Amino acid sequence: TGNNDTDFEGYVITGKIDNAEGIQVFLDNIDTKRVNVIDTADVADDGTFKMKGKVPSKMLSRIRLGNSRANRFIVLENGDRTHIEFDAKNNTEYTVSNDPESEELRRLTSDIQSRKADEKYLQDYVDNATDPILAYIACQYLKIENDYDRFKKVSALMSKELPQSKLTQAFAQHVASSKNMLNTAVGKVAPDLQLDSPNGGKIPLSSLKGKVVLIDFWASWCKPCRRENPNVVKAYNKYKKKGFDIYSVSLDKNKDKWVKAIKDDGLVWNSHVSDLGGWQSSAAAQYGVKSIPQTFLIDGEGKIVAKNLRGAALEAKLSELLDA
């Protein structure tokens, strides 16, 4: 390459790829769920390639070979002179030079993939991160209910440094809508619910106090929920005499379909409730429920002791709590 790139204000990416002659290489913008191709280049006979262009702002990107699944992430911004090398036959390893942020990103993703990055490593990483994209990547491997304040910190950092990014907006939304998950962390007292039964009367969750209760979020239209129902029925029949009960919260919108599913699946307990709001259900919002089936197991004091136990795992926990 001549020196004509020295004054160029955009990015320049050069690379050397073994075993990739004649393949196209793509530069993707990882923009939340959508992937946009920013640039492409042909790999020359000697394995080299070059891309140059301009981007509106700093972004998380990846270098991709053809339709390979391997992710080689880089932080892309104008002014970068990134050099990347890898072997097309090796899906995990690559080297980045001349671009400290992308080198750091490669180290982080490598530590995550090789399982070196445990929870403490990632928490420390986020605490010390000054780069919004690197902090964002580390957050992807932490649980928001355990690290809500860290997620909030990263969201603020992203808003300050990358205000225009769709990644920033999606992450801010995720953090805001997950706030209610904090109410339902294991060890917290389950927020009381009071919704209508199919007959019209309200059934408060607190009316089951003293029992071990499975709060079960489900819906007639949810196939995984319906597949799980026989396990729930089995656990109920096994432990109901020992003080176990179920509080079923449906995210149905259609009352007839809800009632029919209760009957068809033999859900014989009494506490079936719904506000027929679908995903807009007030109970789902209160519990931070974003996918179903989702369950919360509470003890006689109303404290959440476990979440999302299914089948044998649920029976084992009930045995621990009730087979005294």
Side-chain angles (χ1 to χ4, degrees), residues 168-225:
T168 299
Q169 290 151 21
F171 192 69
Q173 237 169 358
H174 171 57
V175 172
S177 66
S178 299
K179 191 160 174 34
N180 287 339
M181 279 174 141
L182 302 190
N183 306 333
T184 57
V186 169
K188 292 277 177 85
V189 172
D192 196 17
L193 295 170
Q194 192 162 354
L195 299 170
D196 289 333
S197 75
N199 316 326
K202 287 200 187 305
I203 304 176
L205 173 62
S206 51
S207 66
L208 302 178
K209 204 165 161 93
K211 292 179 170 184
V212 170
V213 179
L214 185 74
I215 305 168
D216 186 7
F217 284 87
W218 75 294
S220 68
W221 46 260
C222 161
K223 289 196 177 81
C225 305

Side-chain angles (χ1 to χ4, degrees), residues 300-321:
E301 301 296 301
K303 243 200 215 128
I304 297 170
V305 291
K307 290 160 95 158
N308 293 324
L309 295 179
R310 313 234 189 281
L314 173 61
E315 290 198 28
K317 188 70 180 171
L318 291 173
S319 167
E320 182 193 309
L321 294 167

Side-chain angles (χ1 to χ4, degrees), residues 207-208 211-216 232 235-236 239-248 268-271 296-298 318 322:
S207 66
L208 302 178
K211 292 179 170 184
V212 170
V213 179
L214 185 74
I215 305 168
D216 186 7
V232 181
Y236 177 72
Y239 286 99
K240 61 181 179 187
K241 290 200 170 76
K242 295 185 171 173
F244 174 55
D245 213 334
I246 296 172
Y247 189 83
S248 288
V268 293
W269 47 93
N270 295 322
S271 303
F296 302 83
L297 189 67
I298 60 175
L318 291 173
L322 294 168

Side-chain angles (χ1 to χ4, degrees), residues 62 64-65 67-71 91:
R62 73 171 172 206
R64 174 171 57 86
L65 262 191
N67 43 19
S68 153
R69 281 283 167 80
N71 288 326
N91 275 345

Side-chain angles (χ1 to χ4, degrees), residues 69-319:
R69 281 283 167 80
N71 288 326
R72 298 176 180 91
F73 293 110
I74 60 170
V75 178
L76 182 68
E77 62 183 320
N78 294 329
D80 282 351
R81 298 293 181 264
T82 311
H83 183 75
I84 186 165
E85 296 195 6
F86 58 92
D87 185 327
K89 292 184 173 163
N90 181 329
N91 275 345
T92 49
E93 286 170 29
Y94 63 105
T95 62
V96 185
S97 48
N98 213 14
D99 177 351
E101 272 177 290
S102 293
E103 289 177 55
E104 176 58 36
L105 177 58
R106 188 207 60 77
R107 261 197 304 277
L108 173 63
T109 50
S110 164
D111 284 352
I112 288 167
Q113 276 160 353
S114 63
R115 306 242 188 279
K116 264 190 220 155
D118 59 4
E119 189 179 26
K120 171 104 178 59
Y121 170 114
L122 291 165
Q123 288 169 333
D124 290 346
Y125 196 96
V126 169
D127 289 344
N128 298 306
T130 52
D131 184 284
I133 288 177
L134 295 169
Y136 167 84
I137 294 283
C139 274
Q140 301 307 302
Y141 297 88
L142 288 170
K143 287 196 164 83
I144 192 164
E145 57 265 46
N146 303 343
D147 282 299
Y148 187 76
D149 288 340
R150 285 189 173 92
F151 276 69
K152 249 172 67 172
K153 180 197 148 177
V154 171
S155 183
L157 182 64
M158 290 173 77
S159 297
K160 182 169 163 258
E161 304 272 332
L162 307 170
Q164 300 306 317
S165 164
K166 286 199 174 127
L167 211 56
T168 299
Q169 290 151 21
F171 192 69
Q173 237 169 358
H174 171 57
V175 172
S177 66
S178 299
K179 191 160 174 34
N180 287 339
M181 279 174 141
L182 302 190
N183 306 333
T184 57
V186 169
K188 292 277 177 85
V189 172
D192 196 17
L193 295 170
Q194 192 162 354
L195 299 170
D196 289 333
S197 75
N199 316 326
K202 287 200 187 305
I203 304 176
L205 173 62
S206 51
S207 66
L208 302 178
K209 204 165 161 93
K211 292 179 170 184
V212 170
V213 179
L214 185 74
I215 305 168
D216 186 7
F217 284 87
W218 75 294
S220 68
W221 46 260
C222 161
K223 289 196 177 81
C225 305
R226 304 293 294 268
R227 280 200 295 274
E228 186 57 30
N229 276 343
N231 297 329
V232 181
V233 170
K234 187 175 163 224
Y236 177 72
N237 288 331
K238 192 168 170 184
Y239 286 99
K240 61 181 179 187
K241 290 200 170 76
K242 295 185 171 173
F244 174 55
D245 213 334
I246 296 172
Y247 189 83
S248 288
V249 183
S250 161
L251 301 195
D252 273 284
K253 283 183 162 179
N254 179 311
K255 186 178 171 184
D256 295 338
K257 287 182 181 166
W258 170 37
V259 172
K260 183 177 186 308
I262 294 172
K263 188 165 175 287
D264 289 352
D265 292 7
L267 312 182
V268 293
W269 47 93
N270 295 322
S271 303
H272 286 280
V273 298
S274 181
D275 57 12
L276 298 176
W279 282 115
Q280 267 41 70
S281 156
S282 59
Q286 211 175 335
Y287 273 67
V289 169
K290 293 178 181 163
S291 64
I292 51 175
Q294 195 158 334
T295 65
F296 302 83
L297 189 67
I298 60 175
D299 65 12
E301 301 296 301
K303 243 200 215 128
I304 297 170
V305 291
K307 290 160 95 158
N308 293 324
L309 295 179
R310 313 234 189 281
L314 173 61
E315 290 198 28
K317 188 70 180 171
L318 291 173
S319 167

